[in-house]
Amino acid sequence: MYDDLIGKGVPMVDGLDKVMGRHLFTADMQLPGMLYGKVLRSPYPHARIVKIDTSKAKALIGVRAVITGRDMDFPRYGVAGQRILDEQLLAGDKVRYVGDEVAVVAAIDPDIALQALDLIEVEYQPLPALFDPREAMQESAALIHEDQDSNIPYKINFTRGDIEQGFNEAAVIVEDKFYSPLHYQGYLEPQAAVADCDARGRVSLWIPMQAPTLGRGTYANALGIGEEDLRVIQMPIGGSFGGKLEYKLHALCALLSRATRCPVKMVNTREEDFQVGLPRVPMYIKMKLGVRKDGTLAAKQTEIVADSGAYINYGHAIMLSAAHRHDNLYRIQNIATKAWLVYTNKVATGSFRGFGSPQIHFAYESILDMAAEQLGMDPAELRLINSSQPGDVTPHGWKLLSCGLSDCIKQSVAASHWKEKRAQHTDENERFARGIGIGCCLHVSGNRTFLPDWDGAHCVIRIDITGKAVVSPGETDLGQGSRTTFAQIAANELGFNIEDVSVNLVDTDISPLGLGTFGDRATTLGGNAVRMAAIDARNQIIATAAQKLDLDPADLFISGGICYSNSHADIKLPVADIAKMAYYKMTGGLITGHGNYAPPDVRVVDPDTKFGNVSAAYPFVTQISEVEVDRWTGKVRILDMVSAHDLGRTLNPLLAEGQVQGAVAQGIGFAMMEDMGIKNGVIANRNFERYNMPRISDMAPLTSILVESNDPNGPYGAKGLAEPAFTALPPSVANAIYHAVGVRIKELPITPEKVLKALQEKEKNI
């Protein structure tokens, strides 16, 4: 193993293409004879479709296809790992949210397609709509999906230890309720697709997608075709944050291409993307925590009501993550959790950075501070007392082979001057008050909680005739830089210059089978596969050279793309020459390395108990925020932030720092300003003008600390970083506000109005 490139700040291999506008995104694609698709969407949150008349739309010059939910028998489908199939490509009998797909049109230009939508006549019979999941879960509530027994498609109920005994041991018991709203991913590139159907009926689909293999299966099921009849080609992704997994527009584009036998392009408007995207799952959380006199956690009871919207998508898996992932952060044995995923007549919700963790960690880390106050204990000290440690096996069966949580807490406390600032108190009569707060979290690096019975990775590396390496992974780069990391790992093991390594985007026809990029799995699982493929290719290169030079392969090594001998200083053989030798020797074949990685001792959780070691490795984070609160207006300004991350090992500090900065900015939005503002099923803040996202002026000085715990399962010791870097920030801000002015905001986002109202209530109660 070499180590020359690991830990180096290598710029993104596709960075120049991005900044120079050379990337071809899906919306940029043009194919000969291309048509343009548009979707007719429901204006009602809940209604029966009485009649659809498409005759005028079909008669419009330039229209090539009009398809409704009544034109064919669309199969019911769901995303990977979902047992309840509750979606169809187009609504046939009724619509379930404002934006539900009723019909699609393909025309020779986008304007004609929009005209055709206006000409489709739909008669609706409005039905009572349910917008609050707590009402929708009642037995008396009308069914949103009439083929199901209730509006609760998934439930979770598990207990660990003795919850009653745990609360009996507690010196302090705190209990409260928390809420987080719909939260839009905010990527720059809206959802888009280009499809082309060949003469045999096989569709090629160019999409910006995180998981092409999973998508191919889902879309084939939705279209009622075999997976062999669908090819998914990953395009460069202009932002994702979890929002570009399976998405109905992709399959609708394929549907129109199959109907017209022409290439079709579909691109959401920004308003459509807000109205019919898959935003973060809102959650109502009730949590009760018992803490012993010495600060050890005695028991925790949690109830979660998760708002799935009109369809499930990944809501079942997101709720499971929320229900049990945070339990592994601290040492606690007595746990009882109930959770309900509930249908409402609102936009279907889905994946977003953190996958259920941000909602629950906001509640957990807030209630920990509440317990610390009642105990008269420093909140950071309470976390240190209970922090999980390397070698722990958690109550859920998670095996923490590495854990830098204590180091994250200690280093962030030192860097933020925590003790001095906690001791400072602002006079109640002063307008501006300062406070400092802490939050922690953990995540996974791979996830076996809901997907098929494997969570590994495979990679193929081909050495071309010029001696360059072409890496074909199964995991996608969604902008986070995995192509750069894979190039680093491959170059490091091959002994190549990184300029001589390229990394392909995923194409399901030629790429290895891969689950895609989510759950912080790309670096840990994909990186291990790349490393093994590079070692395999390197051994083949050296074996070829050894045969030519009549030397022992153990005597040879590669550096800078040249093969050297340890014992003969004058021997130098360029890899390009070796590759040509192999090419001719194999009658046109190329040196090809294969790497396969399946994490040891990782399995799917038990469907009933939710017990099992779900991931190869677990990253940890501590974030500290210092804020200033204006008592007159309720406005909160972040003054300083410290963010400490146990990422196993830093493969590329440049990319790691970029991930932290982006995650913190996104965390500020979730904590303080972002809310889609849905009313009667209609999203009010459905463009970037009205949806308030952080700007550069909202960022504060940020100190990033990269803690290296060297996980034995990670490539060179590395594990995930991107998702947990977001999660702990909102509770750190909420805890800082409480430290500053003594009011606790339990509903996100923490707006000036909420802070001011809480201050006024506090004043009344004095």
Side-chain angles (χ1 to χ4, degrees):
M1 182 182 78
Y2 303 95
D3 217 8
D4 294 332
L5 282 170
I6 301 306
K8 301 290 176 63
V10 177
M12 282 192 175
V13 294
D14 55 356
L16 277 177
D17 286 338
K18 288 181 176 179
V19 299
M20 297 180 73
R22 290 176 177 168
H23 259 332
L24 180 73
F25 294 95
T26 305
D28 302 321
M29 283 189 66
Q30 293 293 330
L31 296 176
M34 178 176 282
L35 303 175
Y36 298 86
K38 294 291 181 181
V39 183
L40 180 69
R41 303 186 181 279
S42 167
Y44 294 97
H46 200 195
R48 295 206 181 279
I49 299 174
V50 178
K51 185 175 70 173
I52 304 178
D53 185 348
T54 60
S55 57
K56 293 178 182 177
K58 289 178 177 177
L60 184 65
I61 295 173
V63 171
R64 295 290 181 265
V66 180
I67 305 173
T68 75
R70 296 183 173 182
D71 291 333
M72 57 186 74
D73 186 17
F74 288 105
R76 292 187 176 274
Y77 74 97
V79 300
Q82 189 193 135
R83 69 174 189 270
I84 296 174
L85 308 181
D86 62 355
E87 288 202 71
Q88 292 176 289
L89 284 183
L90 294 169
D93 55 348
K94 72 172 185 176
V95 291
R96 296 176 173 87
Y97 77 101
V98 175
D100 213 347
E101 294 85 352
V102 175
V104 285
V105 170
I108 59 174
D109 73 41
D111 290 337
I112 292 175
L114 287 172
Q115 277 185 273
L117 294 186
D118 289 338
L119 293 174
I120 299 173
E121 298 175 358
V122 185
E123 182 182 337
Y124 295 97
Q125 177 191 350
L127 299 170
L130 294 163
F131 303 119
D132 189 324
R134 296 165 298 182
E135 295 178 8
M137 66 191 295
Q138 302 302 315
E139 289 186 7
S140 59
L143 291 177
I144 293 172
H145 290 267
E146 291 166 348
D147 60 335
Q148 297 188 32
D149 295 334
S150 74
N151 291 322
I152 307 172
Y154 282 92
K155 301 176 186 177
I156 291 172
N157 186 356
F158 61 77
T159 301
R160 306 279 187 262
D162 188 329
I163 192 74
E164 186 176 344
Q165 177 62 30
F167 280 118
N168 287 337
E169 294 172 4
V172 164
I173 296 176
V174 288
E175 185 174 5
D176 222 315
K177 297 177 181 179
F178 303 86
Y179 173 71
S180 59
L182 285 170
H183 182 205
Y184 178 61
Q185 290 86 350
Y187 39 69
L188 287 178
E189 177 197 26
Q191 296 280 5
V194 169
D196 192 15
C197 184
D198 66 19
R200 297 174 300 162
R202 189 170 192 258
V203 178
S204 294
L205 191 57
W206 291 266
I207 50 178
M209 194 193 183
Q210 296 174 225
T213 299
L214 294 182
R216 180 180 62 175
T218 299
Y219 302 150
N221 291 338
L223 291 162
I225 61 176
E227 287 190 46
E228 69 277 6
D229 293 322
L230 187 62
R231 176 188 184 188
V232 175
I233 303 154
Q234 180 216 343
M235 295 294 288
I237 300 176
S240 173
F241 312 113
K244 288 178 178 169
L245 287 164
E246 290 98 320
Y247 188 67
K248 192 179 287 187
L249 185 82
H250 303 158
L252 288 173
C253 193
L255 174 70
L256 285 172
S257 184
R258 282 172 58 84
T260 60
R261 287 298 195 267
C262 293
V264 177
K265 181 195 287 187
M266 300 182 77
V267 182
N268 272 353
T269 65
R270 183 59 64 182
E271 183 165 318
E272 279 182 303
D273 225 77
F274 270 95
Q275 187 68 49
V276 299
L278 296 164
R280 190 183 297 281
V281 179
M283 291 187 187
Y284 294 87
I285 299 167
K286 181 180 179 182
M287 190 173 286
K288 178 181 177 182
L289 181 69
V291 186
R292 300 181 184 92
K293 189 175 182 180
D294 62 359
T296 57
L297 303 183
K300 181 175 69 66
Q301 199 167 31
T302 307
E303 292 183 1
I304 302 168
V305 176
D307 187 347
S308 187
Y311 303 101
I312 295 171
N313 195 262
Y314 280 103
H316 61 307
I318 292 164
M319 184 177 72
L320 175 57
S321 293
H324 86 322
R325 186 171 293 171
H326 69 288
D327 291 338
N328 306 278
L329 181 61
Y330 303 110
R331 288 174 162 175
I332 182 171
Q333 297 301 317
N334 304 308
I335 301 164
T337 299
K338 293 181 180 180
W340 300 267
L341 185 70
V342 186
Y343 286 125
T344 57
N345 292 115
K346 294 188 290 192
V347 59
T349 52
S351 305
F352 193 169
R353 192 179 205 159
F355 206 74
S357 289
Q359 299 96 309
I360 196 70
H361 276 92
F362 171 62
Y364 196 20
E365 292 296 302
S366 295
I367 213 162
L368 277 166
D369 263 38
M370 296 161 68
E373 181 182 35
Q374 288 199 26
L375 283 169
M377 183 177 288
D378 183 293
E381 184 63 28
L382 178 65
R383 287 165 172 83
L384 272 175
I385 289 170
N386 293 285
S387 292
S388 291
Q389 300 297 320
D392 280 2
V393 178
T394 74
H396 294 308
W398 292 20
K399 298 180 179 180
L400 309 183
L401 303 183
S402 68
C403 176
L405 177 57
S406 292
D407 289 334
C408 287
I409 295 171
K410 291 173 184 176
Q411 292 186 39
S412 58
V413 162
S416 65
H417 305 289
W418 169 268
K419 291 184 179 180
E420 299 94 314
K421 291 177 180 178
R422 288 291 297 186
Q424 295 171 1
H425 295 282
T426 309
D427 190 289
E428 289 280 346
N429 296 318
E430 291 186 28
R431 176 176 176 178
F432 296 99
R434 290 192 174 190
I436 189 168
I438 189 170
C440 298
C441 72
L442 86 164
H443 204 67
V444 292
S445 291
N447 189 358
R448 289 282 293 275
T449 55
F450 66 97
L451 286 168
D453 195 19
W454 65 285
D455 191 23
H458 192 92
C459 178
V460 177
I461 296 181
R462 188 179 72 250
I463 308 300
D464 69 20
I465 196 171
T466 67
K468 305 290 195 295
V470 181
V471 180
S472 295
E475 281 63 49
T476 56
D477 189 324
L478 45 84
Q480 86 283 26
S482 63
R483 292 173 77 190
T484 304
T485 300
F486 292 163
Q488 264 184 281
I489 293 172
N492 191 68
E493 290 295 344
L494 288 165
F496 285 16
N497 297 315
I498 198 166
E499 296 81 9
D500 293 330
V501 178
S502 61
V503 182
N504 286 333
L505 296 172
V506 174
D507 179 336
T508 58
D509 267 12
I510 57 177
S511 298
L513 183 67
L515 290 181
T517 299
F518 51 85
D520 269 10
R521 65 188 306 279
T523 295
T524 306
L525 304 185
N528 268 323
V530 171
R531 180 171 172 267
M532 292 176 179
I535 292 171
D536 185 21
R538 183 186 76 214
N539 290 340
Q540 293 179 52
I541 295 168
I542 287 176
T544 303
Q547 190 174 22
K548 171 70 175 176
L549 299 169
D550 195 23
L551 292 172
D552 186 342
D555 184 46
L556 301 177
F557 69 95
I558 304 170
S559 180
I562 298 174
C563 189
Y564 296 93
S565 166
N566 284 304
S567 60
H568 299 79
D570 57 331
I571 291 181
K572 297 179 181 179
L573 190 59
V575 170
D577 292 347
I578 302 170
K580 287 177 185 175
M581 281 187 265
Y583 179 77
Y584 296 128
K585 181 182 175 183
M586 295 188 288
T587 61
L590 296 173
I591 290 174
T592 304
H594 291 265
N596 180 67
Y597 179 73
D601 201 20
V602 174
R603 62 186 180 86
V604 176
V605 298
D606 183 279
D608 298 318
T609 67
K610 313 304 179 189
F611 185 90
N613 188 39
V614 302
S615 179
Y618 301 96
F620 294 83
V621 171
T622 298
Q623 291 174 316
I624 291 178
S625 298
E626 184 182 1
V627 304
E628 179 184 76
V629 182
D630 185 341
R631 286 192 173 98
W632 292 5
T633 66
K635 184 176 181 180
V636 177
R637 184 165 68 98
I638 300 178
L639 303 174
D640 192 47
M641 292 178 288
V642 175
S643 198
H645 305 262
D646 166 22
L647 74 173
R649 185 172 178 195
T650 310
L651 300 187
N652 188 327
L654 189 66
L655 296 190
E657 178 67 25
Q659 281 295 319
V660 173
Q661 290 180 6
V664 165
Q666 210 163 40
I668 290 171
F670 185 48
M672 301 178 67
M673 56 191 71
E674 294 187 44
D675 186 349
M676 295 175 73
I678 194 164
K679 186 176 181 180
N680 294 329
V682 179
I683 293 169
N685 303 323
R686 52 184 185 267
N687 55 49
F688 283 143
E689 181 181 10
R690 300 184 66 177
Y691 185 74
N692 195 14
M693 293 176 67
R695 298 162 177 80
I696 190 64
S697 57
D698 296 304
M699 287 293 287
L702 170 62
T703 301
S704 297
I705 302 171
L706 303 178
V707 174
E708 299 194 332
S709 60
N710 290 301
D711 195 277
N713 282 342
Y716 313 103
K719 50 189 179 181
L721 167 67
E723 292 194 73
F726 166 92
T727 299
L729 190 75
S732 77
V733 171
N735 290 334
I737 292 169
Y738 185 84
H739 180 237
V741 293
V743 297
R744 183 161 296 283
I745 310 302
K746 292 164 281 191
E747 179 180 316
L748 295 175
I750 304 172
T751 60
E753 293 82 2
K754 292 175 185 174
V755 174
L756 188 59
K757 182 179 179 181
L759 286 169
Q760 291 169 346
E761 289 293 324
K762 178 187 173 185
E763 189 69 25
K764 287 179 186 176
N765 295 327
I766 292 177

